[in-house]
Amino acid sequence: MLDLWYKNAVIYCLDVDAYMDGNGDGVGDFRGLADRLDHIEALGATCIWLLPFYPTPNRDNGYDISDFYNVDPRLGSLGDFVAFTRAAADRGLRVLVDLVVNHTSTDHPWFQSARSGPNSPYRDWYVWSEEKPENIHDGIVFPGVQEAIWTYDQKAKAWYLHRFYKHQADLNIANPAVREEIDKIMGFWLQLGVSGFRIDAVPFLIEYLGLDHAPARNPAEYLSDMRRFLSWRKAESVLLAEANVTMKEVTSYFGEDGNRMHMVFNFMLNQHMFLAMTRRDAEPIRRIMSIMPDLPVEGQWGSFLRNHDEVDLGRLSSQERQEVFDAMAPDPGMIVYDRGIRRRLAPMLEGDVRRLKLAYALMFALPGTPVIWYGEEIGMGDDLSLEERNSVRTPLQWSNRKNGGFSSADPEALVRPVLSDGPFAYDKVNIADAMHDPESLLSFVRELVRIRRSLPEIGWGEWTLMDGDTRVLAMRCEWKGNVTCTYHNLSDQDVEVTLEPAQESETGETAYTSVLFGPGAPPRDLKPGASLRLAPYGFAWLRPDQERR
């Protein structure tokens, strides 16, 4: 069997500048991250995904990159990065880094050269138009804060394409020199110890928009080129695609032969999970899972609840989206880009620990690899006074000490304020307190991660939806003779479920044991075909009793 380590991984995503300040200047850095890897190790995560840490003017939280081969001086040096990857490897932690190559900052030397004139060697590294393009407002990614996707540059005397903000000029991937440079970027970071890349904005990376003479080749074939290069350089490394696309479109990102992306974030399922939690009914999840395509053996979904961006609900109908807004973002200031919610999960669920635990149990039970956003493991809140997506990027709350234990700097020097008011303030929600509370969300997530890693059939196996009460999502996963059945009650009422009936099989299953159950004590003897009561927001993960085989 192929050693596809990511199939049974748990990924922990963090922003270096918000994790831990190691030198007291108010900004998180690689030194602080390396010193506090014990938290991630104790959580049970197996892989760290780093948001952009490259030199940047920092107009878009680091996604406007001015040098792909270095570390932002605020965060440390290349030496600090290598010390971090070494420390992570010592703890058995792999590292993924963001590969943001759809665009560069307009401050990047490549773009500054390109705009100097048509004879610049970098002119064709970007997408230009001598005449004003038609429909420059079509396809805006950030409604309300982005004015157009083309901007006129006075020095270049031409318009340049930018699918995102105007300070992020799109690279021309049809140019072989650009593709060669992207290979060099990947090769550089692989050599420094990373195990792969989360590729930003993949649908925009593989398009020929704005080119006068687009190549005949399907731009999606470029993903096969990236995969091929990665396999040559470091066979175990992986590509994780950010692609918010429909289930019909997602197959092309994996490749029919599994020769493109190893993993793709399951945005469609994520959006319908929030609709299901709003309705307290599993039907929206079942609806999407029923149309999820079969993946190649190398393919894997990335499952998540919250990430570093908004909760993007753009794939829901306008009525469905409004349902979620009404329940989880009732204030207009909680909504961004007309489609998303800029809140963390705990405030969205009103701090209800029962619902938080259910949400995590559900996400970890879904087919795929779970991805956790830093701070979610303790139920951190958000700061809606910060602009756009920064509301969910406040410093990690380590303790009830100054600045939540994140930094010794004066509060006004912090990269972003630590939450200091309300029910999610650092004196009420922090890692130090949660560590010693067996009923805390952190204690639950640690146990959940431990159990999930012991059930490889969830990440590797074939899954089926089981019939029953629509308020409960019931799934069965099987792989190499191992079976796990999971039941999640999304409602605020008691629900009775009927366990899967006995089946004729080599395992001789006669009873189930509970590997995860909450809230309440699990029954001691669970026979196939029997009834099981799930409390409001209750869940049960069951496995055939090994001793009865």
Side-chain angles (χ1 to χ4, degrees):
M1 179 60 64
L2 295 171
D3 182 20
L4 306 181
W5 61 267
Y6 54 91
K7 286 272 195 171
N8 202 40
V10 176
I11 301 174
Y12 187 88
C13 176
L14 62 90
D15 203 345
V16 177
D17 71 4
Y19 187 76
M20 182 66 199
D21 175 12
N23 62 7
D25 67 352
V27 181
D29 47 44
F30 279 108
R31 175 182 165 185
L33 173 56
D35 288 345
R36 292 294 178 92
L37 286 174
D38 291 347
H39 170 63
I40 302 173
E41 181 183 20
L43 191 65
T46 59
C47 180
I48 299 172
W49 159 28
L50 301 179
L51 266 57
F53 52 82
Y54 314 99
T56 171
N58 210 24
R59 302 186 188 102
D60 183 23
N61 207 60
Y63 282 88
D64 48 330
I65 297 169
S66 57
D67 183 355
F68 290 98
Y69 296 99
N70 216 325
V71 170
D72 191 316
R74 301 177 309 136
L75 311 181
S77 65
L78 282 173
D80 293 324
F81 177 86
V82 172
F84 151 70
T85 57
R86 177 73 183 198
D90 287 345
R91 290 166 173 79
L93 294 165
R94 298 176 185 269
V95 177
L96 303 181
V97 300
D98 252 21
L99 184 67
V100 188
V101 289
N102 164 252
H103 55 260
T104 73
S105 167
T106 52
D107 288 12
H108 197 293
W110 300 342
F111 186 79
Q112 289 300 310
S113 172
R115 66 194 290 257
S116 66
N119 295 325
S120 165
Y122 294 101
R123 185 71 167 198
D124 290 336
W125 283 43
Y126 296 88
V127 181
W128 300 93
S129 175
E130 299 298 323
E131 303 295 329
K132 182 177 180 179
E134 296 181 1
N135 304 319
I136 67 172
H137 304 292
D138 288 355
I140 286 178
V141 176
F142 303 130
V145 295
Q146 180 185 357
E147 297 177 356
I149 64 169
W150 290 88
T151 292
Y152 186 75
D153 185 86
Q154 294 286 349
K155 186 173 183 179
K157 296 182 174 57
W159 296 76
Y160 66 90
L161 176 68
H162 54 90
R163 291 306 302 258
F164 297 95
Y165 297 108
K166 66 180 180 181
H167 54 75
Q168 294 167 322
D170 276 22
L171 286 165
N172 175 14
I173 67 140
N175 186 335
V178 171
R179 297 197 299 270
E180 182 179 352
E181 190 70 28
I182 293 173
D183 286 349
K184 291 178 181 178
I185 294 168
M186 290 194 292
F188 179 83
W189 294 106
L190 289 171
Q191 198 69 24
L192 292 186
V194 309
S195 292
F197 305 90
R198 175 267 190 185
I199 306 180
D200 184 61
V202 179
F204 301 124
L205 176 66
I206 55 171
E207 67 177 8
Y208 293 147
L209 181 67
L211 297 180
D212 291 332
H213 304 287
R217 187 192 192 213
N218 180 353
E221 286 297 322
Y222 177 52
L223 301 181
S224 302
D225 297 342
M226 297 179 78
R227 171 71 171 269
R228 190 177 303 112
F229 175 84
L230 200 75
S231 299
W232 289 340
R233 284 296 178 95
K234 195 172 185 178
E236 66 180 20
S237 52
V238 301
L239 297 173
L240 170 58
E242 183 206 23
N244 187 352
V245 295
T246 66
M247 290 300 174
K248 290 183 178 180
E249 297 170 305
V250 77
T251 303
S252 66
Y253 290 81
F254 287 107
E256 292 184 4
D257 299 323
N259 63 339
R260 293 180 183 172
M261 301 291 98
H262 298 82
M263 294 189 284
V264 177
F265 280 118
N266 200 334
F267 279 93
M268 287 290 289
L269 185 53
N270 174 263
Q271 297 178 46
H272 286 79
M273 283 174 64
F274 280 98
L275 180 61
M277 287 190 286
T278 295
R279 292 180 173 176
R280 292 172 169 80
D281 191 288
E283 186 278 330
I285 300 175
R286 296 179 64 91
R287 187 198 326 159
I288 288 301
M289 293 187 71
S290 68
I291 62 171
M292 282 168 52
D294 293 332
L295 302 184
V297 65
E298 299 92 345
Q300 180 70 311
W301 296 107
S303 300
F304 64 103
L305 287 165
R306 282 300 282 114
N307 60 16
H308 60 295
D309 292 333
E310 75 280 6
V311 178
D312 190 337
L313 303 174
R315 296 289 176 182
L316 300 181
S317 70
S318 58
Q319 180 179 345
E320 291 171 336
R321 187 162 52 249
Q322 192 59 51
E323 282 186 64
V324 183
F325 284 165
D326 290 344
M328 299 187 179
D331 188 309
M334 299 171 177
I335 299 171
V336 67
Y337 314 136
D338 300 330
R339 64 169 184 263
I341 300 175
R342 60 189 206 99
R343 306 182 75 192
R344 277 189 178 263
L345 184 65
M348 291 171 67
L349 298 182
E350 300 176 327
D352 189 333
V353 177
R354 297 175 306 165
R355 298 186 72 191
L356 286 167
K357 290 180 178 180
L358 168 66
Y360 269 101
L362 174 60
M363 189 264 281
F364 270 68
L366 292 171
T369 296
V371 182
I372 304 173
W373 176 231
Y374 82 95
E376 294 294 299
E377 71 274 21
I378 59 172
M380 270 179 56
D382 45 54
D383 185 348
L384 295 173
S385 70
L386 301 177
E387 293 184 354
E388 298 181 55
R389 297 159 160 178
N390 281 332
S391 56
V392 300
R393 296 168 176 170
T394 56
L396 186 55
Q397 296 165 196
W398 290 96
S399 69
N400 60 8
R401 297 182 178 179
K402 175 184 176 182
N403 297 326
F406 164 73
S407 174
S408 60
D410 293 335
E412 56 271 17
L414 298 185
V415 60
R416 286 177 289 280
V418 177
L419 288 181
S420 57
D421 297 313
F424 301 101
Y426 66 81
D427 62 338
K428 300 180 182 69
V429 177
N430 61 71
I431 291 171
D433 290 344
M435 283 176 56
H436 302 294
D437 179 1
E439 300 301 318
S440 70
L441 181 62
L442 176 61
S443 295
F444 173 77
V445 173
R446 282 181 172 181
E447 179 68 1
L448 179 63
V449 170
R450 183 191 68 78
I451 292 172
R452 171 62 177 77
R453 289 180 59 188
S454 72
L455 304 174
E457 56 266 32
I458 296 179
W460 276 91
E462 294 184 7
W463 57 270
T464 54
L465 293 172
M466 296 186 287
D467 294 332
D469 195 306
T470 183
R471 294 169 293 180
V472 175
L473 184 71
M475 296 178 289
R476 185 181 195 273
C477 293
E478 182 172 4
W479 182 65
K480 287 191 171 182
N482 290 318
V483 175
T484 295
C485 297
T486 60
Y487 303 84
H488 301 86
N489 177 13
L490 277 73
S491 78
D492 56 0
Q493 302 170 359
D494 288 346
V495 176
E496 293 279 339
V497 297
T498 302
L499 301 185
E500 187 180 47
Q503 297 181 1
E504 294 293 331
S505 68
E506 296 179 0
T507 63
E509 301 168 9
T510 58
Y512 290 101
T513 56
S514 172
V515 293
L516 182 69
F517 195 92
R524 299 183 66 178
D525 194 18
L526 298 164
K527 296 204 179 282
S531 294
L532 173 67
R533 187 184 69 84
L534 295 178
Y537 311 120
F539 46 87
W541 291 15
L542 309 177
R543 232 182 179 188
D545 190 340
Q546 302 289 332
E547 295 181 358
R548 294 176 183 259
R549 293 188 178 186

